[in-house]
Amino acid sequence: MQAEIVILGSGTSMGVPTLGCSCAVCTSADPRNRRMRPSIAVAWENRTVIIDTGPDFREQALRERIRHVDAVFYTHSHADHILGLDDLRPLSFAHRPGYLPLFADQPTAEILERIFEYTFSPDSQYPTRARVKLHRLEGHESAMIHGADFRRVPIMHGDLPVAGFRFGSAAYLTDMNSIPDSSLPLLEDLDVLILDALRPEYHPSHANIEEALRWVERVQPRRAWFTHMSHEIEHAETERTLPPHVRLAWDGLRIPFAL
């Protein structure tokens, strides 16, 4: 089954340009240096799955003309990955049948239910709340969405356990700096790997470029794209330093793969 990954956002929690900054990347005329908060869409046969709805989700969905969503998966509960949940409202109203399914692990689900209490509480009187239903997804569990299997891949974001996802011949690993040995079998025989590469320098909870390249070497995908990039990464200049099979993602990039 042929599909494509759409990079909705390839930036960090602060986005690029970063507020108050006048560095060369934040003031660059290259549109690839303009990065919204991290998120992707997986699209196939008139189906669309979203991974993370950050605070830029509305603009991302408008830009990519996303008019229907079949499911949403959440990697973890940080603000840059969840705060656009309310923008699912108009998409959920048209969802058939029933409620738009959301998938998250227990810690993430608890925070979603607390922040968006007016959405999830059975006592909510908010008449136009999102018509969504939250499902727990733990460990290496998977969910089948219209014939496509989305499997949770446990990874580490510093000391915080978070989720990546494997779907068909592709995997998405944002916000990470290590992959447990038990998760490596879930990443075998990848055509496409999209993973965190925050900046050139060390960071305690994100892979830097050097560390991301080491993970590419270990996982051995046929193609890799870096995401969750800060304003310390200039697109053209950085890409010239990378191996031919490793590129930098950019907002609006479409990556074909076999689902």
Side-chain angles (χ1 to χ4, degrees):
M1 189 158 52
Q2 286 302 303
E4 66 178 4
I5 298 165
V6 184
I7 303 295
L8 300 181
S10 58
T12 65
S13 59
M14 292 187 286
V16 183
T18 300
L19 289 177
C21 183
S22 57
C23 76
V25 175
C26 287
T27 57
S28 170
D30 186 340
R32 297 172 301 177
N33 283 324
R34 188 174 184 86
R35 304 174 181 126
M36 291 187 183
R37 267 60 76 93
S39 177
I40 64 168
V42 182
W44 76 100
E45 296 179 354
N46 296 317
R47 302 296 183 183
T48 303
V49 165
I50 304 295
I51 300 183
D52 290 335
T53 54
D56 297 322
F57 176 69
R58 178 179 177 276
E59 288 299 320
Q60 293 164 338
L62 288 170
R63 186 190 72 214
E64 300 302 331
R65 300 182 180 179
I66 294 172
R67 297 186 174 93
H68 172 81
V69 174
D70 293 279
V72 180
F73 290 82
Y74 286 98
T75 59
H76 64 298
S77 63
H78 286 171
D80 54 321
H81 297 261
I82 69 168
L83 289 187
L85 185 151
D86 198 63
D87 289 325
L88 292 170
R89 286 193 300 143
L91 298 172
S92 74
F93 298 156
H95 188 78
R96 296 289 184 273
Y99 289 78
L100 172 61
L102 315 180
F103 297 89
D105 60 22
Q106 181 65 20
T108 303
E110 289 177 357
I111 290 174
L112 288 173
E113 289 171 332
R114 185 162 70 248
I115 293 175
F116 297 99
E117 185 272 342
Y118 62 90
T119 296
F120 294 106
S121 171
D123 299 323
S124 174
Q125 300 300 309
Y126 187 32
T128 56
R129 60 181 172 169
R131 298 185 73 254
V132 295
K133 186 172 182 180
L134 191 53
H135 304 267
R136 270 58 170 176
L137 201 65
E138 308 289 348
H140 297 168
E141 290 179 342
S142 65
M144 188 69 69
I145 310 296
H146 295 288
D149 186 68
F150 287 76
R151 183 167 300 276
R152 188 178 185 275
V153 180
I155 52 179
M156 295 300 296
H157 180 23
D159 295 329
L160 179 67
V162 301
F165 292 95
R166 167 77 184 258
F167 35 94
S169 63
Y172 180 64
L173 309 180
T174 187
D175 287 50
M176 55 76 68
N177 63 344
S178 66
I179 304 172
D181 289 345
S182 58
S183 291
L184 289 172
L186 303 175
L187 300 172
E188 293 176 352
D189 195 29
L190 284 175
D191 181 32
V192 173
L193 174 63
I194 301 170
L195 76 163
D196 190 350
L198 180 75
R199 64 188 190 188
E201 293 78 24
Y202 168 80
H203 189 279
S205 60
H206 292 273
N208 63 15
I209 291 177
E210 181 181 351
E211 291 166 331
L213 285 169
R214 286 203 297 265
W215 283 117
V216 170
E217 180 63 25
R218 185 163 184 185
V219 175
Q220 291 287 301
R222 283 175 280 282
R223 299 178 288 162
W225 275 267
F226 290 165
T227 193
H228 205 290
M229 295 174 289
S230 76
H231 62 163
E232 295 172 62
I233 293 182
E234 200 287 324
H235 190 100
E237 177 182 301
T238 304
E239 202 164 64
R240 283 194 291 268
T241 70
L242 300 175
H245 67 298
V246 181
R247 301 287 87 187
L248 301 184
W250 44 272
D251 293 16
L253 172 68
R254 293 174 177 262
I255 304 170
F257 75 104
L259 185 59

